[in-house]
Amino acid sequence: MTSTSSGRPRAGTTIGVIARELGVSRSTVSRAFSRPDLLRPETVERVRAAAEQLGYEANQAARALATGRSGTIALVVPDIANPFFPPIIRAAQAAADGRDYCVMLGDSAENPQQEQRLISRFATQVDGLVLVSSRLPTAELMDYARRRPVVLVNRDVSNVPRVLIDSTTGVGEAVVHLAELGHKRLAYVGGTAGSWSDQQRRRAVTAACAAYGIALTMLQARPATYAGGVETVDGVLASRSSAIIAFDDVIAHGVLAGLAERGVRVPDDVSVVGCDDVSAAMTYPPLTTISLRCADAGDIAVSVLLDLVGGRRVTDLRCSLDSKLVLRATTGPAPAR
Amino acid sequence: MTSTSSGRPRAGTTIGVIARELGVSRSTVSRAFSRPDLLRPETVERVRAAAEQLGYEANQAARALATGRSGTIALVVPDIANPFFPPIIRAAQAAADGRDYCVMLGDSAENPQQEQRLISRFATQVDGLVLVSSRLPTAELMDYARRRPVVLVNRDVSNVPRVLIDSTTGVGEAVVHLAELGHKRLAYVGGTAGSWSDQQRRRAVTAACAAYGIALTMLQARPATYAGGVETVDGVLASRSSAIIAFDDVIAHGVLAGLAERGVRVPDDVSVVGCDDVSAAMTYPPLTTISLRCADAGDIAVSVLLDLVGGRRVTDLRCSLDSKLVLRATTGPAPAR
DNA sequence: CTGTTAGCGCCTTCAT
DNA sequence: ATGAAGGCGCTAACAG
C-alpha cells in the first residue's frame, strides 16, 4: 500500500475518461491543468479531485506534440566523473526541477564528435540546451544557438548567452599571496590545452606575474589529469620555481603526489595552489585553492535558458562569476635560496 | 557553415514533406525508419537520402505518443556531488546512449520525499528507471517496480531486479591484510545509517573481525561526509584502535585529516582503509581502499533495464559485483604497544 | 466560462 | 511492397 489516498495510477487514465466521468468536455479537463485561470475555480477543483481519484497523470508526449514544448532541457558536459562538473550538474538539475523541467544528461567523454552527436540527438526533443565547457568549434555553437535556445557555460562566444566561471580575480589573489610570501619564481601547470578556462588562467597568471615581477614558467599537464600532474613535476623542478599554480585541484593533487615522491616538502620547499575548490577541502593536506562558483553557474545557466525558452529575447548575455583565493595548508614562505 | 553536407534541419520537416517530395505515402517514409525490413531496399535508400537532404529529424514526442515508448530512461541518485555516483552515472549514460536511449537525471538530495517526487514525475514519461541507493521504503519500491520497469542499484529488494556493488570480499581482504600487519583493535566508521551499503559493510567487518579475533568498535560518521569523518576521530582514538576502515573514501579522508590535526601519524601510528576507490588514487597520500565496480554497476543496470523495457521477462534478477582491496600508502604494521 | 472542432507527427492495422 | 485511414492524448482557436 502506498501512503497516498488516491488509487494507483491505472494506465490509460486520460482526460477523456475524467471528462466522461464528470460529464464535461475534454477541453475543460485539459484547461483545469494547463490554463486553470480560464475556468471557474469550482470546476477546476472538481476536475482535479476526479483526476486525483482516478490516478490521472498527464501524458507528456501528447502534451509535447500538441504544444511543441517538451518540458525538458539537455545538459551536456565533457566528463561527469571530473569533480568540477557534478556541482554544476546538481545545481542545474535543481534549478530545472524547481521550474518543473526535466533534464537530460549527456557526457561527451571530452570528445567533440560525441558532443556533436549528443547535441543533435537532444536538439530535436528538448526545449533548450546548456553546454558546459563545450569542445565544439565556435561556428558550430553559433549555428546551434541560432536554432534552439542554448546557454554556454565556460565558453565565450559572442551573441550566444553564456555564463563564465571567471578565475581571473582568484588567480590574481593567488599571485599576490605568493608574492607576499617572497616567491620569485612561479610555474603554472595548465590543463586541457585550448580550453576557454585554461586560456583564461594562462592570461591571468601571465598578467599578474608581470605586475609583480615574478618569473613565470608555463607548463602543461598531459593528460590534464592527476597522472598528468604527477608527471609534470620534473618540469616544475627544472624551472627552479618555488611556487606552483595548477589548472585545477585534480592536477594540483597530482603535483602534490609527484613532489612527495621526490621528497620535496609542501609548503616548506614548494607552495602549491589549486583551482576549483571542489575536492580541495576534502583531502589531506588541505589544498590552498581558488574557489569557483560552480553551483551558481549551473543555477544561472538554467534560469537564463528557461527565460529564453519562455520567449524572452536576450541580447548577448554574458554573465561572469568571480572567484577568490581560499587559504589552506599548501602555501608558505619562499625558502631561502 | 557546418561540416555536414545536408541542409540544416529546417524545423517542420516531417515525414509528410518527404513523402510529397518523393511521391510516396507517409507510411512508406515512416517505415523506412522504423521497419525498413518491410520495404524494398532501394526505397529505403531513396527515402533516407531525401530525409538527409531535407534535414529531417524524427519527432520523438510524436513517436512516443504513437508507440507508447519514449526512448528515454530515468536515473535517480541521492547526490551527484558525492564522488561515488558520477562513475555510475557516466557508465549508465554511455550504456543508454549506445542503445539509442536518452537519460533523464534526478538528484534527490538524499531526501526520500524529493526522491518520490522525482520518480513520480519521471514515471509518466520514461520507459524505465534506474534507482541508485534509493532511500525509499521497500514497499514503495516494489509498488513502483510493479508498474514500470525498474532496476535498483545498491538496494536489495526481492522480486525487483537489482545490481549490488558488493563490498564483502573487499572488506574481508582488508581485515585479513590488517590482521597480518598485526592489528588487534579495529574501528569501523560507518556512513549513512541504515543504507544498504552501510549495513552490508557492517556485517562484513563484524564477521571478518570475529573470524580473526580482532576487537571491533562500531562508529558512525555524522553526517556521512568529510566533516563527519573528521569529527569521528576522537571516538576512534578513545577506542584505542590501531586501524580504521571507513565507509567510503570521503569519510576516510576526513578521518585522515582529523588524525593529522591531532598529530597522529598514518600509517605509523594508525592505519586507514577507505572504500569506493573513486577519488582514492587521486589524492595525497594515496589511500589504501576497497575498489568497487561502480562503472560496471551503471552499465549493467541500464542493460538489464533496457532488456526489461524490450519486453524480456526477468525473474528476480540479483546481480552482485565483487570488490577487492587495493593497497596504497595508508596501511602499515601495527605499532608496538 | 465551457463545448466543438481540428490538428500536432508518427505508427499501424487493414487493404491492395 | 506500398497506400489509405484511423488513432495515440493533449491543446488551441473559435464559437457560443
Side-chain angles (χ1 to χ4, degrees):
Chain A
M1 300 296 118
T2 20
S3 46
T4 49
S5 55
S6 62
R8 63 178 43 125
R10 284 191 298 177
T13 310
T14 73
I15 53 172
V17 342
I18 298 179
R20 197 177 321 123
E21 194 77 13
L22 258 43
V24 301
S25 78
R26 297 184 312 168
S27 314
T28 300
V29 177
S30 171
R31 288 195 267 253
F33 295 105
S34 37
R35 305 283 327 256
D37 52 303
L38 297 181
L39 260 39
R40 200 188 323 161
E42 171 193 325
T43 311
V44 174
E45 196 34 59
R46 224 156 45 98
V47 172
R48 291 220 165 131
E52 164 86 2
Q53 202 240 313
L54 291 163
Y56 168 77
E57 301 274 8
N59 180 322
Q60 291 298 332
R63 182 171 289 177
L65 183 55
T67 61
R69 286 197 284 95
S70 64
T72 299
I73 61 174
L75 179 66
V76 3
V77 303
D79 179 8
I80 303 170
N82 180 328
F84 174 69
F85 298 106
I88 300 178
I89 301 172
R90 190 168 143 81
Q93 199 273 328
D97 191 58
R99 299 244 230 148
D100 282 319
Y101 267 76
C102 292
V103 2
M104 287 194 175
L105 181 67
D107 182 311
S108 69
E110 312 266 8
N111 175 349
Q113 306 240 337
Q114 174 68 357
E115 184 179 352
Q116 200 173 29
R117 271 201 46 242
L118 285 170
I119 295 176
S120 317
R121 168 96 67 84
F122 288 146
T124 61
Q125 45 183 325
V126 301
D127 298 340
L129 339 234
V130 173
L131 271 24
V132 185
S133 299
S134 173
R135 265 59 162 155
L136 258 29
T138 300
E140 227 159 300
L141 291 174
M142 296 181 71
D143 235 49
Y144 284 126
R146 204 167 294 128
R147 289 177 234 163
R148 322 208 110 259
V150 167
V151 173
L152 265 23
V153 173
N154 271 9
R155 187 68 191 271
D156 196 0
V157 175
S158 37
N159 290 318
V160 12
R162 51 212 185 281
V163 4
L164 304 170
I165 303 175
D166 190 335
S167 46
T168 306
T169 45
V171 169
E173 291 177 21
V175 172
V176 171
H177 173 235
L178 261 9
E180 286 173 348
L181 287 170
H183 293 274
K184 305 288 187 213
R185 302 185 66 83
L186 171 66
Y188 171 74
V189 179
T192 313
S195 73
W196 177 84
S197 310
D198 193 51
Q199 288 179 4
Q200 197 202 37
R201 280 165 218 176
R202 292 187 118 85
R203 267 198 296 272
V205 240
T206 305
C209 284
Y212 285 83
I214 291 180
L216 175 63
T217 304
M218 283 298 190
L219 266 20
Q220 188 184 317
R222 40 174 78 241
T225 62
Y226 177 86
V230 174
E231 294 191 10
T232 212
V233 165
D234 285 327
V236 171
L237 263 22
S239 76
R240 296 184 304 122
S241 302
S242 64
I244 301 166
I245 295 182
F247 171 74
D248 66 18
D249 290 345
V250 172
I251 292 174
H253 276 109
V255 169
L256 245 26
L259 253 16
E261 273 176 17
R262 288 164 182 73
V264 178
R265 292 164 308 165
V266 173
D268 311 79
D269 301 326
V270 167
S271 289
V272 176
V273 176
C275 190
D276 284 358
D277 194 21
V278 82
S279 61
M282 314 211 318
T283 212
Y284 187 81
L287 182 69
T288 290
T289 194
I290 294 158
S291 183
L292 266 29
R293 294 166 55 192
C294 297
D296 288 348
D299 186 85
I300 294 171
V302 168
S303 296
V304 171
L305 182 63
L306 293 184
D307 284 354
L308 248 51
V309 168
R312 163 134 76 203
R313 294 192 65 83
V314 175
T315 57
D316 199 24
L317 176 76
R318 184 181 192 273
C319 168
S320 188
L321 301 175
D322 63 347
S323 54
K324 60 175 192 292
L325 182 68
V326 173
L327 263 28
R328 286 198 267 260
T330 52
T331 50
R337 299 282 317 269
Chain B
M1 299 296 116
T2 19
S3 48
T4 49
S5 55
S6 62
R8 63 177 45 124
R10 280 192 300 176
T13 309
T14 73
I15 53 173
V17 342
I18 299 179
R20 197 175 321 124
E21 195 77 12
L22 258 43
V24 300
S25 78
R26 297 183 311 165
S27 315
T28 300
V29 178
S30 171
R31 287 195 267 254
F33 294 104
S34 38
R35 305 285 326 256
D37 52 303
L38 296 181
L39 260 39
R40 198 188 323 161
E42 173 192 324
T43 311
V44 174
E45 196 35 58
R46 225 156 44 99
V47 172
R48 291 220 164 131
E52 164 85 3
Q53 203 240 311
L54 292 164
Y56 167 76
E57 301 274 8
N59 179 323
Q60 292 298 331
R63 181 172 289 175
L65 182 56
T67 62
R69 287 198 283 93
S70 63
T72 299
I73 62 174
L75 179 66
V76 1
V77 303
D79 178 9
I80 303 169
N82 180 328
F84 174 69
F85 298 105
I88 301 178
I89 300 173
R90 190 167 143 81
Q93 199 273 327
D97 191 58
R99 299 244 231 146
D100 282 320
Y101 267 77
C102 292
V103 4
M104 285 192 178
L105 181 67
D107 182 311
S108 68
E110 311 266 8
N111 174 350
Q113 305 241 337
Q114 173 67 356
E115 184 179 354
Q116 200 173 28
R117 271 200 48 241
L118 285 169
I119 295 176
S120 316
R121 167 97 69 85
F122 288 146
T124 61
Q125 44 183 326
V126 301
D127 297 341
L129 336 233
V130 173
L131 272 23
V132 185
S133 299
S134 174
R135 265 60 161 156
L136 258 28
T138 300
E140 225 160 303
L141 291 174
M142 297 181 71
D143 234 50
Y144 284 126
R146 204 167 294 128
R147 289 176 233 164
R148 322 208 111 259
V150 167
V151 173
L152 265 23
V153 172
N154 271 10
R155 186 68 190 271
D156 196 359
V157 174
S158 37
N159 290 317
V160 11
R162 52 215 184 279
V163 5
L164 304 171
I165 303 175
D166 191 335
S167 46
T168 306
T169 44
V171 170
E173 290 177 21
V175 172
V176 171
H177 173 236
L178 262 8
E180 286 172 347
L181 287 170
H183 294 273
K184 304 290 185 212
R185 303 185 66 82
L186 171 66
Y188 172 74
V189 179
T192 313
S195 74
W196 176 84
S197 310
D198 192 51
Q199 288 178 6
Q200 196 202 39
R201 278 163 220 177
R202 293 187 117 84
R203 269 198 296 273
V205 240
T206 306
C209 284
Y212 286 83
I214 290 181
L216 176 62
T217 304
M218 283 299 191
L219 264 22
Q220 188 184 315
R222 42 175 74 242
T225 62
Y226 177 84
V230 174
E231 293 191 9
T232 212
V233 165
D234 286 326
V236 170
L237 262 21
S239 76
R240 296 185 305 121
S241 303
S242 63
I244 301 167
I245 295 182
F247 172 74
D248 65 19
D249 290 345
V250 172
I251 293 174
H253 275 108
V255 170
L256 245 26
L259 254 16
E261 273 175 17
R262 288 163 183 71
V264 179
R265 292 165 309 166
V266 174
D268 311 79
D269 302 324
V270 167
S271 289
V272 176
V273 176
C275 190
D276 285 357
D277 195 20
V278 82
S279 61
M282 312 211 319
T283 212
Y284 187 78
L287 182 70
T288 290
T289 195
I290 296 159
S291 183
L292 266 28
R293 295 167 54 194
C294 297
D296 288 349
D299 186 84
I300 294 171
V302 168
S303 296
V304 171
L305 182 63
L306 292 184
D307 284 354
L308 247 51
V309 168
R312 162 133 77 204
R313 294 193 64 82
V314 174
T315 57
D316 200 24
L317 175 76
R318 183 182 192 274
C319 169
S320 189
L321 302 175
D322 64 346
S323 54
K324 59 176 193 295
L325 182 68
V326 173
L327 263 27
R328 286 200 266 259
T330 52
T331 51
R337 297 279 320 266

